[in-house]
Amino acid sequence: DCRLRLADTRDLGSAVARVRRLLDLDADPEAIAHTLRSAGLRRLVDDHPGLRSPGHSDPVELALRTVLGQQISLAAARTHLERLVAGVGESLPEELSFGGVDRVFPTAEAIAAVPASEWALPSSRIRTIQTLSQALTEGSVDLGAGSDREEASRNLLALPGIGPWSNGYIRMRALGDPDVFMDSDLGVKKTIADLDASSAAPVDWKQVAMNCSPWRSYL
């Protein structure tokens, strides 16, 4: 079930589209499962049927959260984000406020205008946040629905402080790319090590990943 609070019923279509992107509701689980099973992952697929790849309702928010949270704890990232939203996030109308949520995440334009002195972060991270938010504002980086993923990747990687991990995570969640394998992620590395430890024979994960294309995000 999905319960929505709308200021205008004309927003319903947009809200439903965002929910579908967030929950990956347009995926084809049968096609994904068939490919992953054929790649030798039958047991994992059967243990996790119908797995979806999490998206996001706001690509700008996802991109900025990704950059801001690099190399700091989740608790520290949450503190920085709460300060950002309280400082420059737009207030919600009273009828839309719910459960303590009374503001929306700031626009890229609002974030770009935050002075460097207000960020309690390393100067290199501040530069990345400001450069990314400016690029999103100007449109030189386009993460909107239907945008070209390859072009978005090239433009993201051209920015200071955006590396393969950040680019892959943004592609997977903000752009809904079904074919991203996050093999540099620490959590993925640990899981692969655990699977190898419990396997009777060594697994060539690079080959497995290739065989899972075009559904590597689900891997």
Side-chain angles (χ1 to χ4, degrees):
D1 293 336
C2 177
R3 185 173 299 174
L4 299 168
R5 289 171 176 259
L6 304 173
D8 190 320
T9 53
R10 288 175 294 185
D11 294 332
L12 178 61
S14 175
V16 170
R18 286 182 178 230
V19 171
R20 296 193 71 83
R21 289 197 301 272
L22 175 67
L23 301 178
D24 192 25
L25 297 185
D26 294 320
D28 184 348
E30 292 297 327
I32 295 165
H34 174 76
T35 300
L36 269 60
R37 283 196 180 101
S38 299
L41 302 174
R42 178 175 297 277
R43 179 175 62 82
L44 288 174
V45 172
D46 290 344
D47 286 346
H48 304 280
L51 192 68
R52 305 296 173 126
S53 179
H56 205 279
S57 61
D58 182 351
V60 170
E61 177 182 347
L62 187 280
L64 268 299
R65 290 175 69 106
T66 300
V67 170
L68 191 147
Q70 291 173 349
Q71 299 177 337
I72 60 176
S73 69
L74 290 175
R78 186 165 55 246
T79 297
H80 286 294
L81 289 164
E82 287 172 351
R83 289 173 181 166
L84 176 65
V85 173
V88 293
E90 182 182 350
S91 296
L92 282 169
E94 186 176 349
E95 66 270 20
L96 297 185
S97 300
F98 179 73
V101 177
D102 58 3
R103 289 176 180 270
V104 296
F105 196 83
T107 63
E109 184 177 8
I111 296 171
V114 175
S117 59
E118 294 189 16
W119 292 102
L121 290 166
S123 58
S124 59
R125 187 73 44 75
I126 296 171
R127 181 185 176 210
T128 300
I129 291 171
Q130 291 179 327
T131 304
L132 174 60
S133 55
Q134 190 63 45
L136 291 167
T137 299
E138 296 170 351
S140 56
V141 170
D142 181 8
L143 301 179
S147 59
D148 186 297
R149 291 168 180 155
E150 297 303 324
E151 182 180 358
S153 280
R154 288 193 298 271
N155 294 335
L156 282 168
L157 290 169
L159 301 178
I162 302 284
W165 184 91
S166 297
N167 175 59
Y169 191 71
I170 291 170
R171 276 189 69 139
M172 183 174 69
R173 294 205 56 197
L175 297 177
D177 189 341
D179 200 28
V180 178
F181 184 43
M182 302 285 291
D183 56 343
S184 65
D185 183 84
L186 292 178
V188 174
K189 287 182 176 180
K190 183 181 184 305
T191 299
I192 286 176
D194 291 344
L195 289 170
D196 283 342
S198 63
S199 177
V203 177
D204 184 349
W205 285 100
K206 287 189 176 181
Q207 186 61 51
V208 169
M210 288 178 61
N211 293 342
C212 287
S213 187
W215 310 114
R216 288 179 292 177
S217 297
Y218 301 87
L219 169 63

